[in-house]
Amino acid sequence: ASALVTFALACGLGLAFEFTLQYALGGLSFWMVQTRSLNVALTFVRLFLGGYLVPLQLFPEALQPLLNWLPFQISLALPVEILIGAASVERVAQGLMAGLFWTVAIGGIAAAIWRAGLRVYTASGV
């Protein structure tokens, strides 16, 4: 039961991270006409470093600490590890803390982008 609660918490945090990341990217539209190529590049990084294409455990051991602190693991790798029982208590705690840190940090950046974008925004028309 506690694993399911932890899984739900990790999934919620993963959704919050994905939302703030897309919110920040969307805010760049104040200055950029097309953000699609940036979104495609970010999607590739998320797929590769988040465990979507390759499980993080298959990366070299020397990269494991870095991969576990990058924000992308919170969206898929950590919740799956929790669900199948492959994550230690330390891994769960570290992964949730990393996910929370990145969600708050990118959320702050997204809010700053939005405020700056509103200052430069102009509209015309009927």
Side-chain angles (χ1 to χ4, degrees):
S2 67
L4 288 178
V5 171
T6 308
F7 170 73
L9 178 64
C11 287
L13 188 56
L15 287 172
F17 167 74
E18 292 291 336
F19 174 81
T20 57
L21 188 62
Q22 291 300 316
Y23 185 70
L25 185 64
L28 294 177
S29 295
F30 282 113
W31 296 275
M32 300 171 67
V33 176
Q34 278 286 349
T35 59
R36 177 133 174 86
S37 59
L38 189 57
N39 196 9
V40 168
L42 183 61
T43 298
F44 174 75
V45 170
R46 282 181 26 239
L47 290 175
F48 195 67
L49 298 179
Y52 287 81
L53 296 177
V54 178
L56 297 183
Q57 292 80 7
L58 295 181
F59 282 88
E61 182 113 2
L63 290 178
Q64 294 297 321
L66 174 66
L67 293 172
N68 290 336
W69 276 106
L70 287 175
F72 310 111
Q73 53 87 30
I74 191 63
S75 299
L76 180 78
L78 183 64
V80 168
E81 289 175 29
I82 293 169
L83 190 62
I84 65 173
S88 66
V89 173
E90 294 81 19
R91 165 74 177 113
V92 171
Q94 183 268 328
L96 291 175
M97 291 302 291
L100 182 61
F101 168 79
W102 284 107
T103 301
V104 170
I106 293 174
I109 292 168
I113 290 171
W114 179 257
R115 284 190 302 273
L118 287 179
R119 285 193 295 273
V120 301
Y121 178 72
T122 58
S124 60
V126 178

